[in-house]
Amino acid sequence: MNCIIIIEMGTDAVRVFAFDLSGNLISSSKGHYPTFHEQPDHSEQDPEQMFITMLYILKNLLNEKIYPKKYTVTCICFGSSMHSLLAVDKDGIPLGNAITWADNRGKKEAAELKQSSLGEEIYKATGTPIHPMSSLIKIAWMKNHEPEKFKQAQKFMPIKSYIIQQLTGDCVIDYSIASATGLMNIHKLTWDEAALEFAGITPQELPDLHPVFYSGVTLKKEYQRVLKLSPTVKILIGSSDGCLATLGAGVWENSMATITIEDSGAFRIIGDKIIEDPKQQIFNYLLTEKHIITGGPTSNGGVIFNWFAKQFGDFTEAFDIEQSMEMLIEEAAGVEVGAGGLIFLPFLHGERAPIWNPNSRGCYFGVNIRHERKHFIRATIEGILYEMYSIGRTLEQHRHIETLSINGSFASIPFCTQIIADLFNKPVSTISHADSIGMGAFLLSATEMGIYPSLEQASKTVTMHQTYLPNAENHQVYAQYFKVFESLITKVADEFDAISDLQQRYSQ
């Protein structure tokens, strides 16, 4: 029996999946690694720790779940979060930690570029909004603030390219991940000259560009031996988590959209054309050369509720963080829609779409003497979902959307899914499998292997598990609160800048 292995390098963990060739999940495993915030606006991870964690989880899964069941691995496909950056020297050794998507250190470089005609030119060419999340801005920051490290760097790459290079010796990047760097011209499928000039680098300092179906790399002999894998195992470089999540959610029709909420979140649609946005509020990333994923990301998804649970959850007994969050959600479910007039701005990581303001900060608004912990819990959840609604409304300016699907950790919480249905006033369906990124990577692999004739046909095999219908009365209440939420963001923009500056100067 043959199987396909999926390796997903996520924000906080590596997830390894094994599927049979019919798309049934054989087994999965997960290993966590930390994120370091040593300074305000800094967010980093140790690339070697990430690689070792991946290798450990992969080896254990193979030895404990795959080989005992007499499965043979025929393909390994990679997925990962976007916007990470790692500088390596001439020997491929990391020059420090990898910088993650949540890092905002380059906000000065981003602000200056965004206000220029060059910024508009680069956005149109790359499809990536000008923001500190992008590799473009991260490299520019390094050039300005760490010139010795910048000069020493032989290559700049995302974490997925580093993982693949460690395993194979080849420095490659897929169009999907590359289209989210702010450095790739998505019209020409090459590195963009204007973006490279701004960053101060050449194409030779970046990985080699390839389509997501590229399989021209081979595992090093030592990893063939350690992992007990055949030299003929196909290594598929794969795609980004966002594009794979969209494919794995079965979103292929123009009237459909999908919401992903893990640590971060995103609202996405798929099409065959790039959507032009003069306001530069949305992204256009490539699933393939002919399939464009358009949408907007939030930096403040499940990571915000995780933060809330750690600060205010019940740990008097031996509860883990998941149990604490379940208890908080149960408490929030007993509170009326709108959290008793308490509104939460969830911008603990700054924010991306639709405001693209790295200086934005979190805030509870409307607190009165009657508010209890349960109101703060519900307000926190509603604030995260108000932001998703805000992104969705931005996309609806460009595409008529009738139905939604939801995937990610929030998809397993009926309370949250119902709020999304009520906010959007649209039916929201959950998918039948637990992880749309893993399923998307399987569908990509199976299409490359000829199991499906096309990605479109592959996506049609995705089935929906449950559909939540909107409550019209709740929608009307949420619409009133959302007006206040949206207005607050604009009115306190100057205060966001001021408090961010104070935090930079005085916070340790």
Side-chain angles (χ1 to χ4, degrees):
M1 297 182 294
N2 294 330
C3 71
I4 296 171
I5 299 294
I6 306 301
I7 299 174
E8 178 208 339
M9 301 302 300
T11 298
D12 67 337
V14 56
R15 296 168 177 85
V16 180
F17 306 89
F19 290 91
D20 67 22
L21 299 192
S22 297
N24 300 307
L25 182 66
I26 302 167
S27 185
S28 66
S29 189
K30 178 169 68 173
H32 290 272
Y33 33 73
T35 301
F36 309 108
H37 307 283
E38 295 184 355
Q39 299 181 49
D41 289 322
H42 285 225
S43 181
E44 299 182 351
Q45 292 175 326
D46 183 339
E48 295 180 347
Q49 184 176 17
M50 297 173 78
F51 177 74
I52 291 170
T53 302
M54 179 279 300
L55 201 61
Y56 175 81
I57 296 299
L58 174 60
K59 184 177 180 180
N60 281 359
L61 181 76
L62 292 173
N63 289 335
E64 296 176 6
K65 303 294 183 180
I66 303 306
Y67 298 146
K69 296 180 180 180
K70 307 302 181 183
Y71 279 100
T72 299
V73 178
T74 59
C75 177
I76 298 176
C77 180
F78 291 86
S80 80
S81 54
M82 295 174 277
H83 315 301
S84 61
L85 180 75
L86 178 65
V88 302
D89 67 14
K90 59 183 178 59
D91 297 315
I93 298 173
L95 297 169
N97 287 331
I99 307 174
T100 79
W101 59 265
D103 194 280
N104 283 320
R105 71 184 68 183
K107 56 190 180 184
K108 181 175 181 290
E109 285 79 5
E112 291 175 355
L113 179 60
K114 190 171 184 177
Q115 294 167 6
S116 69
S117 58
L118 177 61
E120 182 178 357
E121 176 189 341
I122 290 175
Y123 171 70
K124 288 180 178 179
T126 67
T128 302
I130 306 300
H131 186 270
M133 71 176 185
S134 72
S135 299
L136 167 70
I137 300 300
K138 290 180 171 77
I139 296 172
W141 181 92
M142 191 181 299
K143 177 181 64 176
N144 294 338
H145 298 272
E146 296 181 341
E148 291 304 316
K149 180 177 177 180
F150 179 80
K151 291 177 183 177
Q152 191 179 353
Q154 188 78 10
K155 290 278 187 180
F156 298 93
M157 65 182 71
I159 194 64
K160 189 173 85 165
S161 294
Y162 175 74
I163 298 295
I164 294 175
Q165 184 180 50
Q166 291 296 99
L167 290 171
T168 70
D170 293 295
C171 186
V172 293
I173 188 172
D174 62 86
Y175 288 163
S176 181
I177 289 286
S179 66
T181 63
L183 293 161
M184 177 185 170
N185 189 308
I186 59 175
H187 307 276
K188 299 178 181 179
L189 303 180
T190 60
W191 295 118
D192 185 69
E193 293 180 4
L196 293 181
E197 183 177 353
F198 176 81
I201 60 173
T202 66
Q204 290 71 36
E205 294 173 273
L206 296 170
D208 296 332
L209 281 166
H210 293 284
V212 295
F213 290 117
Y214 181 72
S215 59
V217 297
T218 305
L219 278 179
K220 292 178 180 178
K221 290 183 179 179
E222 58 262 40
Y223 293 117
Q224 294 175 20
R225 176 178 49 80
V226 167
L227 299 171
K228 303 175 187 176
L229 292 170
S230 166
T232 61
V233 172
K234 181 175 292 186
I235 306 298
L236 196 64
I237 63 173
S239 183
S240 68
D241 58 355
C243 290
L244 291 173
T246 307
L247 175 62
V251 174
W252 211 264
E253 303 297 331
N254 281 342
S255 61
M256 298 175 65
T258 187
I259 293 172
T260 301
I261 306 179
E262 286 287 357
D263 283 348
S264 59
F267 188 104
R268 305 183 186 95
I269 56 178
I270 190 168
D272 58 4
K273 292 182 175 61
I274 294 168
I275 295 179
E276 301 287 348
D277 178 23
K279 296 181 181 179
Q280 302 183 34
Q281 291 181 313
I282 60 176
F283 61 66
N284 286 281
Y285 299 151
L286 305 184
L287 173 56
T288 72
E289 300 92 310
K290 297 180 180 179
H291 302 109
I292 314 299
I293 306 296
T294 301
T298 173
S299 298
N300 302 283
V303 67
I304 303 305
F305 194 57
N306 185 283
W307 163 83
F308 184 93
K310 287 179 178 178
Q311 310 308 318
F312 308 109
D314 187 350
F315 293 96
T316 56
E317 303 293 338
F319 296 125
D320 61 20
I321 187 67
E322 284 78 14
Q323 287 178 307
S324 177
M325 288 192 286
E326 288 176 7
M327 294 169 63
L328 291 173
I329 289 167
E330 184 177 348
E331 192 173 344
V335 179
E336 67 273 21
V337 170
L342 184 61
I343 292 176
F344 175 55
L345 303 186
F347 308 133
L348 271 62
H349 276 305
E351 190 50 295
R352 292 183 285 176
I355 61 174
W356 296 100
N357 183 1
N359 286 334
S360 56
R361 292 294 183 264
C363 173
Y364 288 96
F365 178 80
V367 184
N368 66 47
I369 197 67
R370 298 182 61 188
H371 285 137
E372 304 171 28
R373 184 179 79 155
K374 61 183 180 180
H375 295 97
F376 284 87
I377 302 169
R378 179 154 190 147
T380 301
I381 296 170
E382 289 179 342
I384 295 167
L385 301 181
Y386 283 149
E387 181 60 9
M388 292 306 310
Y389 181 51
S390 181
I391 297 170
R393 281 163 54 94
T394 302
L395 266 293
E396 287 189 290
Q397 297 173 17
H398 304 275
R399 174 81 62 82
H400 175 67
I401 297 168
E402 296 178 0
T403 60
L404 301 171
S405 71
I406 181 170
N407 53 81
S409 57
F410 270 45
S412 64
I413 307 172
F415 172 68
C416 297
T417 304
Q418 186 61 55
I419 292 176
I420 291 173
D422 295 345
L423 268 170
F424 281 91
N425 201 29
K426 302 179 192 294
V428 179
S429 298
T430 58
I431 50 182
S432 55
H433 47 84
D435 191 290
S436 63
I437 299 173
M439 176 55 68
F442 164 77
L443 296 176
L444 188 77
S445 304
T447 301
E448 195 278 338
M449 295 169 66
I451 297 172
Y452 301 113
S454 66
L455 289 178
E456 182 177 5
Q457 291 301 313
S459 72
K460 290 180 179 179
T461 65
V462 177
T463 57
M464 298 300 164
H465 172 64
Q466 184 176 357
T467 299
Y468 294 77
L469 300 177
N471 180 304
E473 184 177 338
N474 288 350
H475 175 70
Q476 292 300 321
V477 175
Y478 278 133
Q480 295 176 67
Y481 280 120
F482 179 76
K483 286 182 181 178
V484 180
F485 175 89
E486 196 172 38
S487 177
L488 276 173
I489 297 169
T490 302
K491 290 182 177 178
V492 299
D494 290 342
E495 285 71 22
F496 281 156
D497 292 341
I499 198 66
S500 175
D501 180 62
L502 289 171
Q503 290 173 352
Q504 284 281 355
R505 283 191 283 164
Y506 300 117
S507 296
Q508 298 298 322

